[in-house]
Amino acid sequence: MSKVNEQELIQYIASKSKIDPKWVDVVLKHAQKFINSAKPNARGEVDIDSDDLVDYVISRPDVKLNELQVETILDLEMDYLMDKGLAGYED
């Protein structure tokens, strides 16, 4: 996340979700680890299945949030990144 102010992102998500910033940070760190370990396909693209990502984050022993809370954090992260022009969805 080189172009992203992480503290701003965490505060954005925490304020919208009402989830403690500490938990937002934990979820984002695990999500980033999962994304960084994904293997690119033949075209060099990395396809991340959101269900697999949520399952991975929930399976971490230090994550004490439920599936809906993790999905909310990840959705709000995407909203933030799209607002900043740093991400988008592929069809």
Side-chain angles (χ1 to χ4, degrees), residues 18-67:
K18 307 296 186 233
I19 297 171
D20 187 314
K22 169 184 82 168
W23 293 116
V24 172
D25 187 44
V26 168
V27 168
L28 293 179
K29 285 189 180 353
H30 285 303
Q32 193 62 48
K33 184 175 181 180
F34 180 87
I35 291 166
N36 289 344
S37 69
K39 303 288 184 240
N41 63 21
R43 296 187 306 240
E45 300 168 343
V46 177
D47 184 32
I48 304 293
D49 181 282
S50 61
D51 291 334
D52 291 343
L53 176 56
V54 170
D55 290 345
Y56 173 82
V57 172
I58 290 172
S59 74
R60 303 298 88 198
D62 61 336
V63 174
K64 307 296 183 208
L65 301 174
N66 64 42
E67 184 175 348

Side-chain angles (χ1 to χ4, degrees), residues 61-74:
D62 61 336
V63 174
K64 307 296 183 208
L65 301 174
N66 64 42
E67 184 175 348
L68 182 59
Q69 290 169 310
V70 170
E71 286 177 356
T72 298
I73 290 170
L74 297 175

Side-chain angles (χ1 to χ4, degrees), residues 74-91:
L74 297 175
D75 288 345
L76 286 168
E77 177 191 27
M78 191 59 156
D79 291 348
Y80 175 89
L81 295 174
M82 288 174 53
D83 287 348
K84 298 286 184 184
L86 300 172
Y89 289 105
E90 289 219 359
D91 294 332

